[in-house]
Coordinates of all heavy atoms in Angstrom, one line a residue:
M19 N -12.9 -27.6 29.1 CA -12.5 -27.1 27.8 C -13.4 -26.0 27.3 O -14.6 -26.2 27.3 CB -12.5 -28.3 26.8 CG -11.4 -29.3 26.9 SD -10.0 -28.8 26.0 CE -10.4 -29.5 24.4
A20 N -12.8 -24.9 27.0 CA -13.5 -23.8 26.5 C -13.8 -24.0 25.0 O -12.9 -24.4 24.2 CB -12.8 -22.5 26.7
E21 N -15.1 -23.9 24.6 CA -15.4 -24.0 23.2 C -15.6 -22.7 22.6 O -16.0 -21.7 23.2 CB -16.7 -24.8 23.1 CG -16.4 -26.3 23.0 CD -17.7 -27.1 22.8 OE1 -18.4 -26.8 21.8 OE2 -18.0 -27.9 23.6
T22 N -15.1 -22.6 21.3 CA -15.3 -21.4 20.6 C -16.7 -21.3 20.1 O -17.1 -22.1 19.3 CB -14.3 -21.3 19.4 OG1 -13.1 -21.8 19.9 CG2 -14.2 -19.9 18.9
T23 N -17.4 -20.3 20.5 CA -18.8 -20.2 20.1 C -18.9 -19.4 18.8 O -19.8 -19.6 18.0 CB -19.7 -19.6 21.1 OG1 -19.1 -18.4 21.6 CG2 -19.9 -20.5 22.3
K24 N -17.9 -18.5 18.6 CA -17.9 -17.6 17.4 C -17.1 -18.4 16.3 O -16.0 -18.7 16.5 CB -17.2 -16.3 17.8 CG -17.9 -15.1 17.1 CD -17.3 -13.9 17.7 CE -17.2 -12.8 16.6 NZ -16.4 -11.7 17.1
R25 N -17.8 -18.6 15.3 CA -17.2 -19.3 14.1 C -16.2 -18.3 13.4 O -16.6 -17.2 13.0 CB -18.3 -19.7 13.2 CG -17.8 -20.7 12.2 CD -18.4 -22.0 12.3 NE -18.0 -22.9 11.2 CZ -18.8 -23.2 10.2 NH1 -20.0 -22.8 10.2 NH2 -18.3 -23.9 9.2
Q26 N -15.0 -18.7 13.3 CA -14.0 -17.9 12.6 C -14.0 -18.3 11.1 O -14.1 -19.4 10.7 CB -12.6 -18.2 13.2 CG -12.5 -17.8 14.6 CD -12.2 -16.3 14.8 OE1 -11.3 -15.7 14.4 NE2 -13.2 -15.6 15.5
R27 N -13.8 -17.2 10.3 CA -13.7 -17.4 8.9 C -12.3 -16.9 8.5 O -11.7 -16.1 9.2 CB -14.7 -16.6 8.1 CG -16.1 -16.8 8.6 CD -16.6 -18.1 8.1 NE -17.9 -18.4 8.7 CZ -18.8 -19.1 8.1 NH1 -18.7 -19.5 6.9 NH2 -20.0 -19.3 8.7
S28 N -11.8 -17.4 7.4 CA -10.5 -16.9 7.0 C -10.6 -16.2 5.6 O -11.3 -16.6 4.7 CB -9.4 -17.9 7.0 OG -9.8 -19.1 6.3
C29 N -9.7 -15.2 5.5 CA -9.6 -14.4 4.3 C -9.0 -15.3 3.2 O -8.0 -16.0 3.4 CB -8.7 -13.2 4.6 SG -8.2 -12.3 3.1
I30 N -9.6 -15.3 2.0 CA -9.1 -16.2 1.0 C -7.8 -15.8 0.4 O -7.1 -16.5 -0.3 CB -10.2 -16.5 -0.1 CG1 -10.6 -15.2 -0.8 CG2 -11.4 -17.3 0.4 CD1 -11.4 -15.3 -2.1
A31 N -7.5 -14.5 0.6 CA -6.2 -14.0 0.0 C -5.0 -14.1 1.0 O -4.0 -14.6 0.6 CB -6.4 -12.5 -0.4
C32 N -5.2 -13.7 2.2 CA -4.0 -13.7 3.1 C -4.2 -14.8 4.2 O -3.2 -15.0 4.9 CB -3.8 -12.4 3.7 SG -5.1 -11.9 4.9
G33 N -5.3 -15.4 4.3 CA -5.5 -16.5 5.3 C -5.8 -16.0 6.7 O -6.0 -16.8 7.6
K34 N -5.9 -14.7 6.9 CA -6.1 -14.1 8.2 C -7.5 -14.6 8.7 O -8.5 -14.6 8.0 CB -6.1 -12.6 8.2 CG -6.4 -11.9 9.5 CD -6.4 -10.4 9.3 CE -7.6 -9.8 9.9 NZ -7.6 -8.4 9.9
Q35 N -7.6 -15.0 10.0 CA -8.8 -15.5 10.5 C -9.5 -14.3 11.3 O -8.8 -13.6 12.0 CB -8.6 -16.6 11.5 CG -8.0 -17.8 10.7 CD -8.6 -19.1 11.2 OE1 -8.9 -19.2 12.4 NE2 -8.7 -20.1 10.4
A36 N -10.8 -14.2 11.2 CA -11.5 -13.2 11.8 C -13.0 -13.6 11.9 O -13.4 -14.6 11.3 CB -11.4 -11.9 11.1
G37 N -13.7 -12.9 12.8 CA -15.1 -13.2 12.9 C -15.8 -12.8 11.6 O -15.3 -11.9 10.9
K38 N -17.0 -13.4 11.4 CA -17.7 -13.1 10.2 C -18.0 -11.6 9.9 O -18.0 -11.2 8.8 CB -19.1 -13.8 10.3 CG -19.4 -14.7 9.2 CD -20.8 -15.3 9.4 CE -21.6 -15.3 8.2 NZ -22.8 -16.1 8.2
T39 N -18.2 -10.9 11.0 CA -18.6 -9.5 10.9 C -17.4 -8.6 10.5 O -17.6 -7.5 10.0 CB -19.2 -9.0 12.2 OG1 -18.3 -9.3 13.2 CG2 -20.6 -9.6 12.4
E40 N -16.2 -9.1 10.7 CA -15.0 -8.3 10.3 C -14.6 -8.5 8.9 O -13.7 -7.9 8.5 CB -13.9 -8.7 11.3 CG -14.2 -8.3 12.7 CD -13.3 -9.1 13.7 OE1 -12.1 -8.8 13.6 OE2 -13.7 -9.9 14.4
L41 N -15.2 -9.5 8.2 CA -14.7 -9.8 6.9 C -15.8 -9.4 5.9 O -17.0 -9.2 6.2 CB -14.4 -11.3 6.8 CG -13.3 -11.8 7.7 CD1 -13.3 -13.4 7.6 CD2 -12.0 -11.3 7.2
F42 N -15.4 -9.2 4.7 CA -16.3 -8.9 3.6 C -16.7 -10.2 2.9 O -15.8 -11.0 2.6 CB -15.7 -8.0 2.5 CG -15.3 -6.7 3.1 CD1 -13.9 -6.5 3.4 CD2 -16.2 -5.7 3.3 CE1 -13.5 -5.2 4.0 CE2 -15.8 -4.5 3.9 CZ -14.5 -4.3 4.2
R43 N -18.0 -10.4 2.8 CA -18.4 -11.7 2.2 C -18.8 -11.4 0.7 O -19.6 -10.5 0.4 CB -19.6 -12.3 2.9 CG -20.1 -13.6 2.4 CD -21.1 -14.2 3.4 NE -21.4 -15.6 2.9 CZ -22.6 -16.0 2.4 NH1 -23.6 -15.1 2.3 NH2 -22.8 -17.2 2.1
I44 N -18.3 -12.2 -0.2 CA -18.7 -12.2 -1.6 C -19.5 -13.5 -1.7 O -19.0 -14.6 -1.3 CB -17.5 -12.2 -2.5 CG1 -16.4 -11.3 -2.1 CG2 -17.9 -11.9 -4.0 CD1 -16.7 -9.8 -2.0
V45 N -20.6 -13.4 -2.3 CA -21.5 -14.6 -2.5 C -21.9 -14.8 -3.9 O -22.1 -13.9 -4.7 CB -22.7 -14.4 -1.6 CG1 -23.7 -13.3 -2.1 CG2 -23.5 -15.7 -1.4
R46 N -21.9 -16.1 -4.3 CA -22.5 -16.4 -5.6 C -23.8 -17.1 -5.3 O -23.9 -18.1 -4.7 CB -21.6 -17.4 -6.3 CG -22.2 -17.9 -7.6 CD -21.3 -18.8 -8.4 NE -20.9 -20.0 -7.8 CZ -21.6 -21.1 -7.7 NH1 -22.8 -21.2 -8.2 NH2 -21.1 -22.2 -7.1
G47 N -24.8 -16.4 -5.7 CA -26.2 -16.9 -5.4 C -26.6 -18.1 -6.2 O -25.8 -18.5 -7.1
P48 N -27.7 -18.7 -5.9 CA -28.2 -19.9 -6.7 C -28.3 -19.6 -8.2 O -28.2 -20.5 -9.0 CB -29.5 -20.2 -6.1 CG -29.5 -19.5 -4.7 CD -28.6 -18.3 -4.9
D49 N -28.5 -18.4 -8.5 CA -28.7 -18.0 -10.0 C -27.3 -17.8 -10.6 O -27.2 -17.5 -11.8 CB -29.5 -16.8 -10.1 CG -29.0 -15.6 -9.3 OD1 -28.0 -15.8 -8.6 OD2 -29.6 -14.5 -9.3
G50 N -26.2 -18.0 -9.9 CA -24.9 -17.8 -10.4 C -24.4 -16.4 -10.4 O -23.3 -16.1 -10.9
F51 N -25.1 -15.5 -9.9 CA -24.7 -14.1 -9.9 C -23.9 -13.8 -8.7 O -24.3 -14.0 -7.5 CB -26.0 -13.2 -9.9 CG -25.8 -11.8 -10.1 CD1 -25.5 -11.3 -11.3 CD2 -25.9 -10.9 -9.0 CE1 -25.3 -9.9 -11.5 CE2 -25.7 -9.5 -9.2 CZ -25.4 -9.0 -10.5
A52 N -22.7 -13.3 -8.9 CA -21.8 -13.0 -7.8 C -21.9 -11.6 -7.3 O -22.0 -10.7 -8.2 CB -20.3 -13.3 -8.1
A53 N -21.9 -11.3 -6.0 CA -22.1 -10.0 -5.5 C -21.5 -9.9 -4.1 O -21.3 -10.9 -3.5 CB -23.6 -9.6 -5.5
F54 N -21.3 -8.6 -3.7 CA -20.8 -8.4 -2.4 C -22.1 -8.6 -1.5 O -23.1 -8.0 -1.8 CB -20.3 -7.0 -2.2 CG -20.1 -6.5 -0.8 CD1 -19.2 -7.2 0.0 CD2 -20.8 -5.4 -0.3 CE1 -19.1 -6.8 1.3 CE2 -20.6 -5.0 1.0 CZ -19.8 -5.7 1.8
D55 N -21.9 -9.3 -0.4 CA -23.0 -9.6 0.5 C -22.9 -8.7 1.7 O -22.2 -9.1 2.7 CB -23.0 -11.1 0.8 CG -24.1 -11.4 1.9 OD1 -25.0 -10.6 2.1 OD2 -24.0 -12.5 2.5
S56 N -23.6 -7.6 1.7 CA -23.4 -6.7 2.9 C -24.1 -7.2 4.1 O -23.8 -6.8 5.2 CB -24.0 -5.3 2.5 OG -25.3 -5.4 2.1
T57 N -25.1 -8.1 4.0 CA -25.8 -8.7 5.1 C -25.0 -9.8 5.8 O -25.2 -10.2 6.9 CB -27.2 -9.1 4.8 OG1 -27.1 -10.2 3.9 CG2 -28.0 -8.0 4.1
G58 N -24.2 -10.5 5.0 CA -23.5 -11.7 5.5 C -24.4 -12.9 5.6 O -23.9 -13.9 6.1
R59 N -25.6 -12.8 5.1 CA -26.4 -14.0 5.2 C -27.2 -14.3 3.9 O -28.2 -15.0 3.9 CB -27.4 -13.8 6.3 CG -28.0 -12.4 6.4 CD -29.0 -12.2 7.5 NE -28.4 -12.1 8.8 CZ -29.0 -12.4 9.9 NH1 -30.2 -12.8 9.9 NH2 -28.4 -12.1 11.1
A60 N -26.7 -13.8 2.8 CA -27.3 -14.2 1.5 C -27.1 -15.7 1.2 O -26.0 -16.2 1.6 CB -26.7 -13.3 0.4
P61 N -28.0 -16.3 0.6 CA -27.8 -17.7 0.3 C -26.8 -17.9 -0.8 O -26.7 -17.1 -1.7 CB -29.2 -18.2 -0.1 CG -29.9 -17.0 -0.7 CD -29.3 -15.8 0.1
G62 N -26.2 -19.1 -0.8 CA -25.2 -19.3 -1.9 C -23.8 -19.6 -1.3 O -23.6 -19.6 -0.1
R63 N -22.9 -19.8 -2.2 CA -21.5 -20.1 -1.8 C -20.8 -18.8 -1.5 O -20.8 -17.9 -2.3 CB -20.8 -20.8 -3.0 CG -19.4 -21.0 -2.8 CD -18.8 -21.9 -3.8 NE -19.0 -23.3 -3.4 CZ -18.1 -24.0 -2.6 NH1 -17.1 -23.4 -2.2 NH2 -18.4 -25.2 -2.3
G64 N -20.2 -18.7 -0.4 CA -19.6 -17.4 0.0 C -18.1 -17.5 0.1 O -17.5 -18.6 0.3
A65 N -17.4 -16.4 0.0 CA -15.9 -16.3 0.2 C -15.7 -15.1 1.0 O -16.4 -14.1 0.8 CB -15.2 -16.3 -1.2
Y66 N -14.7 -15.1 1.8 CA -14.4 -13.9 2.6 C -13.0 -13.3 2.3 O -12.1 -14.0 2.1 CB -14.4 -14.4 4.1 CG -15.8 -14.8 4.6 CD1 -16.1 -16.2 4.4 CD2 -16.7 -14.0 5.2 CE1 -17.4 -16.6 4.8 CE2 -17.9 -14.4 5.6 CZ -18.3 -15.7 5.4 OH -19.5 -16.2 5.8
V67 N -13.0 -12.0 2.4 CA -11.8 -11.3 2.3 C -11.7 -10.2 3.4 O -12.8 -9.8 3.9 CB -11.5 -10.5 0.9 CG1 -11.3 -11.5 -0.2 CG2 -12.7 -9.6 0.6
C68 N -10.5 -9.9 3.9 CA -10.5 -9.0 5.1 C -10.3 -7.6 4.7 O -10.5 -6.7 5.6 CB -9.3 -9.5 6.0 SG -7.7 -9.2 5.3
S69 N -10.0 -7.3 3.5 CA -9.8 -5.9 3.1 C -9.9 -5.7 1.6 O -10.0 -6.7 0.9 CB -8.4 -5.4 3.5 OG -7.4 -6.1 2.7
Q70 N -9.9 -4.4 1.2 CA -10.0 -4.2 -0.2 C -8.8 -4.7 -1.0 O -8.9 -5.2 -2.1 CB -10.1 -2.6 -0.4 CG -11.2 -2.2 -1.4 CD -11.3 -0.7 -1.4 OE1 -10.9 0.0 -0.5 NE2 -12.0 -0.3 -2.5
E71 N -7.6 -4.6 -0.3 CA -6.4 -5.0 -0.9 C -6.5 -6.5 -1.1 O -6.1 -7.1 -2.2 CB -5.2 -4.7 0.0 CG -4.8 -3.3 0.1 CD -5.8 -2.4 0.9 OE1 -6.3 -2.9 1.9 OE2 -6.1 -1.3 0.5
C72 N -7.0 -7.3 -0.1 CA -7.1 -8.7 -0.3 C -8.1 -9.1 -1.3 O -8.0 -10.1 -2.0 CB -7.4 -9.3 1.1 SG -6.0 -9.5 2.1
F73 N -9.2 -8.2 -1.5 CA -10.1 -8.5 -2.5 C -9.4 -8.4 -3.9 O -9.6 -9.3 -4.7 CB -11.3 -7.5 -2.4 CG -12.2 -7.6 -3.6 CD1 -13.2 -8.7 -3.6 CD2 -12.2 -6.8 -4.7 CE1 -14.0 -8.8 -4.7 CE2 -13.0 -6.9 -5.8 CZ -14.0 -7.9 -5.8
A74 N -8.6 -7.4 -4.0 CA -7.9 -7.2 -5.3 C -6.9 -8.4 -5.5 O -6.8 -8.9 -6.7 CB -7.1 -5.9 -5.3
T75 N -6.3 -8.8 -4.5 CA -5.3 -9.9 -4.6 C -6.1 -11.2 -5.0 O -5.7 -11.9 -5.9 CB -4.6 -10.2 -3.3 OG1 -4.0 -9.0 -2.9 CG2 -3.6 -11.3 -3.4
A76 N -7.2 -11.4 -4.3 CA -8.0 -12.6 -4.6 C -8.6 -12.6 -6.0 O -8.7 -13.7 -6.7 CB -9.2 -12.7 -3.6
C77 N -8.8 -11.4 -6.6 CA -9.3 -11.3 -8.0 C -8.1 -11.7 -8.9 O -8.3 -12.4 -9.9 CB -9.7 -9.9 -8.3 SG -11.2 -9.4 -7.5
K78 N -7.0 -11.1 -8.6 CA -5.8 -11.2 -9.5 C -5.3 -12.7 -9.5 O -4.9 -13.2 -10.6 CB -4.7 -10.3 -9.0 CG -4.2 -9.3 -10.0 CD -3.1 -8.4 -9.5 CE -3.6 -7.4 -8.5 NZ -2.6 -6.7 -7.7
T79 N -5.3 -13.3 -8.4 CA -4.8 -14.6 -8.3 C -5.9 -15.7 -8.6 O -5.6 -16.9 -8.5 CB -4.2 -14.9 -6.9 OG1 -5.2 -14.7 -5.9 CG2 -3.0 -14.0 -6.6
R80 N -7.1 -15.2 -8.9 CA -8.2 -16.1 -9.2 C -8.6 -16.9 -8.0 O -9.4 -17.9 -8.2 CB -7.9 -17.0 -10.4 CG -7.5 -16.2 -11.7 CD -7.7 -17.0 -13.0 NE -7.6 -16.2 -14.1 CZ -8.6 -15.5 -14.7 NH1 -9.8 -15.5 -14.2 NH2 -8.3 -14.7 -15.7
K81 N -8.2 -16.5 -6.9 CA -8.7 -17.3 -5.7 C -10.2 -17.1 -5.5 O -10.8 -18.0 -5.0 CB -7.9 -16.8 -4.5 CG -6.5 -17.4 -4.3 CD -5.9 -17.0 -3.0 CE -4.5 -17.6 -2.9 NZ -3.7 -17.0 -1.8
L82 N -10.6 -15.9 -5.9 CA -12.0 -15.6 -5.7 C -12.9 -16.5 -6.6 O -13.9 -17.1 -6.1 CB -12.3 -14.2 -6.0 CG -13.8 -13.7 -5.7 CD1 -14.1 -13.8 -4.2 CD2 -14.0 -12.3 -6.1
E83 N -12.5 -16.7 -7.8 CA -13.2 -17.6 -8.7 C -13.2 -19.0 -8.2 O -14.2 -19.7 -8.3 CB -12.5 -17.5 -10.1 CG -12.8 -16.2 -10.8 CD -12.2 -16.3 -12.2 OE1 -11.0 -16.7 -12.4 OE2 -12.9 -15.9 -13.2
R84 N -12.0 -19.4 -7.7 CA -11.9 -20.8 -7.2 C -12.8 -21.0 -6.0 O -13.5 -22.0 -5.9 CB -10.5 -21.1 -6.9 CG -9.7 -21.7 -8.0 CD -8.6 -22.6 -7.6 NE -7.6 -21.8 -6.8 CZ -6.6 -21.2 -7.3 NH1 -6.4 -21.1 -8.6 NH2 -5.8 -20.5 -6.5
A85 N -12.8 -20.0 -5.1 CA -13.6 -20.1 -3.9 C -15.1 -20.1 -4.2 O -15.8 -20.8 -3.5 CB -13.2 -18.9 -2.9
L86 N -15.5 -19.4 -5.2 CA -16.9 -19.3 -5.5 C -17.3 -20.4 -6.5 O -18.4 -20.5 -6.9 CB -17.3 -17.9 -6.0 CG -17.1 -16.8 -5.0 CD1 -17.5 -15.5 -5.7 CD2 -17.9 -17.0 -3.8
K87 N -16.3 -21.1 -7.1 CA -16.5 -22.1 -8.1 C -17.3 -21.5 -9.3 O -18.3 -22.1 -9.7 CB -17.2 -23.3 -7.6 CG -16.4 -24.0 -6.5 CD -16.9 -25.5 -6.4 CE -16.4 -26.2 -5.2 NZ -14.9 -26.3 -5.1
T88 N -16.8 -20.3 -9.7 CA -17.5 -19.7 -10.9 C -16.5 -18.9 -11.7 O -15.4 -18.6 -11.2 CB -18.7 -18.8 -10.4 OG1 -19.4 -18.5 -11.6 CG2 -18.2 -17.6 -9.7
K89 N -16.9 -18.5 -12.9 CA -16.1 -17.6 -13.7 C -16.5 -16.2 -13.4 O -17.7 -15.9 -13.4 CB -16.3 -17.9 -15.2 CG -15.4 -19.0 -15.7 CD -14.2 -18.4 -16.3 CE -13.1 -19.4 -16.7 NZ -11.8 -18.9 -16.4
L90 N -15.6 -15.3 -13.2 CA -15.9 -13.9 -13.0 C -15.2 -13.1 -14.1 O -14.0 -13.2 -14.2 CB -15.5 -13.5 -11.6 CG -16.2 -14.2 -10.4 CD1 -15.4 -13.9 -9.1 CD2 -17.6 -13.8 -10.3
D91 N -16.0 -12.4 -14.8 CA -15.3 -11.6 -15.8 C -14.9 -10.2 -15.2 O -15.3 -9.9 -14.1 CB -16.1 -11.5 -17.1 CG -17.4 -10.8 -16.9 OD1 -17.6 -10.0 -16.0 OD2 -18.3 -11.1 -17.7
H92 N -14.3 -9.4 -16.0 CA -13.8 -8.1 -15.6 C -14.9 -7.2 -15.0 O -14.8 -6.6 -14.0 CB -13.0 -7.4 -16.7 CG -12.2 -6.3 -16.2 ND1 -11.1 -6.4 -15.4 CD2 -12.4 -4.9 -16.4 CE1 -10.6 -5.2 -15.2 NE2 -11.4 -4.3 -15.7
E93 N -16.0 -7.3 -15.7 CA -17.2 -6.5 -15.3 C -17.7 -6.9 -13.9 O -18.1 -6.0 -13.1 CB -18.3 -6.5 -16.3 CG -18.0 -5.6 -17.5 CD -19.0 -5.7 -18.6 OE1 -20.2 -6.1 -18.3 OE2 -18.6 -5.5 -19.7
D94 N -17.8 -8.2 -13.7 CA -18.2 -8.7 -12.4 C -17.3 -8.2 -11.3 O -17.7 -7.7 -10.3 CB -18.2 -10.2 -12.4 CG -19.3 -10.9 -13.3 OD1 -20.4 -10.3 -13.3 OD2 -19.0 -11.9 -13.9
L95 N -16.0 -8.3 -11.6 CA -15.0 -7.9 -10.5 C -15.1 -6.4 -10.2 O -15.0 -6.0 -9.1 CB -13.6 -8.4 -11.0 CG -13.4 -9.9 -11.1 CD1 -12.0 -10.2 -11.7 CD2 -13.6 -10.6 -9.8
E96 N -15.2 -5.7 -11.3 CA -15.3 -4.2 -11.1 C -16.5 -3.9 -10.3 O -16.5 -3.0 -9.4 CB -15.4 -3.5 -12.5 CG -14.2 -3.7 -13.3 CD -13.4 -2.4 -13.3 OE1 -13.7 -1.4 -14.0 OE2 -12.4 -2.4 -12.6
R97 N -17.6 -4.5 -10.6 CA -18.9 -4.2 -9.9 C -18.8 -4.6 -8.4 O -19.1 -3.8 -7.5 CB -20.0 -5.0 -10.5 CG -21.4 -4.8 -9.8 CD -22.5 -5.5 -10.6 NE -22.1 -6.9 -11.1 CZ -22.1 -7.9 -10.3 NH1 -22.5 -7.8 -9.0 NH2 -21.8 -9.1 -10.8
I98 N -18.2 -5.8 -8.1 CA -18.1 -6.2 -6.8 C -17.1 -5.3 -6.0 O -17.3 -4.9 -4.9 CB -17.6 -7.7 -6.7 CG1 -18.7 -8.6 -7.4 CG2 -17.5 -8.1 -5.2 CD1 -18.2 -10.0 -7.6
A99 N -16.0 -4.9 -6.7 CA -15.0 -4.0 -6.1 C -15.7 -2.7 -5.7 O -15.4 -2.2 -4.6 CB -13.8 -3.8 -7.0
A100 N -16.5 -2.2 -6.6 CA -17.2 -1.0 -6.2 C -18.2 -1.1 -5.1 O -18.3 -0.3 -4.2 CB -18.0 -0.5 -7.5
E101 N -18.8 -2.3 -5.0 CA -19.7 -2.6 -3.9 C -18.9 -2.7 -2.5 O -19.4 -2.1 -1.5 CB -20.5 -3.9 -4.1 CG -21.5 -3.8 -5.2 CD -22.1 -5.1 -5.7 OE1 -21.6 -6.2 -5.2 OE2 -23.0 -5.1 -6.5
V102 N -17.8 -3.3 -2.6 CA -16.9 -3.4 -1.4 C -16.4 -2.0 -1.0 O -16.5 -1.7 0.2 CB -15.7 -4.4 -1.6 CG1 -14.7 -4.3 -0.5 CG2 -16.2 -5.8 -1.8
S103 N -16.0 -1.2 -1.9 CA -15.5 0.1 -1.5 C -16.6 1.0 -1.0 O -16.3 1.8 -0.1 CB -14.6 0.7 -2.6 OG -15.4 1.1 -3.7
S104 N -17.8 0.8 -1.5 CA -18.8 1.7 -1.0 C -19.2 1.2 0.4 O -19.6 2.1 1.3 CB -20.1 1.8 -1.9 OG -20.8 0.6 -1.9
A105 N -19.1 0.0 0.7 CA -19.4 -0.5 2.0 C -18.3 0.0 3.0 O -18.6 0.3 4.1 CB -19.4 -2.1 2.0
L106 N -17.1 0.1 2.5 CA -16.0 0.6 3.3 C -16.2 2.1 3.7 O -15.9 2.5 4.8 CB -14.7 0.4 2.6 CG -14.0 -0.9 2.7 CD1 -12.8 -1.0 1.7 CD2 -13.5 -1.1 4.1
R107 N -16.7 2.8 2.7 CA -17.0 4.2 3.0 C -18.1 4.4 4.0 O -18.0 5.4 4.8 CB -17.4 4.9 1.6 CG -16.2 5.4 0.9 CD -16.6 6.5 -0.1 NE -17.6 6.0 -1.1 CZ -17.3 5.3 -2.2 NH1 -16.0 5.1 -2.5 NH2 -18.2 4.9 -3.0
E108 N -19.1 3.5 4.0 CA -20.2 3.7 4.9 C -19.7 3.3 6.3 O -20.3 3.7 7.3 CB -21.3 2.8 4.5 CG -22.1 3.4 3.4 CD -23.0 2.4 2.7 OE1 -23.4 1.4 3.3 OE2 -23.3 2.6 1.5
A109 N -18.8 2.4 6.4 CA -18.4 1.9 7.8 C -17.7 3.0 8.6 O -17.2 3.9 8.1 CB -17.4 0.7 7.6
Ligands
ZN16 ZN1 -6.8 -10.8 3.9

């Protein structure tokens, strides 16, 4: 039996499964501050999205808030969206 060594994560918006490095991780740290986690290893509760579109969907449908178990206001979402899009530009 072949074992999967690479842990797959799924996008909270569309459910697509992918490796950790292919997804964008949003993390809510121990201090309750939510941010885009460019390293993929920040401590705290994380949620994954596969694209900017899915990030927008996850915000709209409040899936992101549910996944992170926190309230995100408009400013938080705008800030995280900007962080995600700047990461996309660098890629
Ligand atoms: Zn997705």
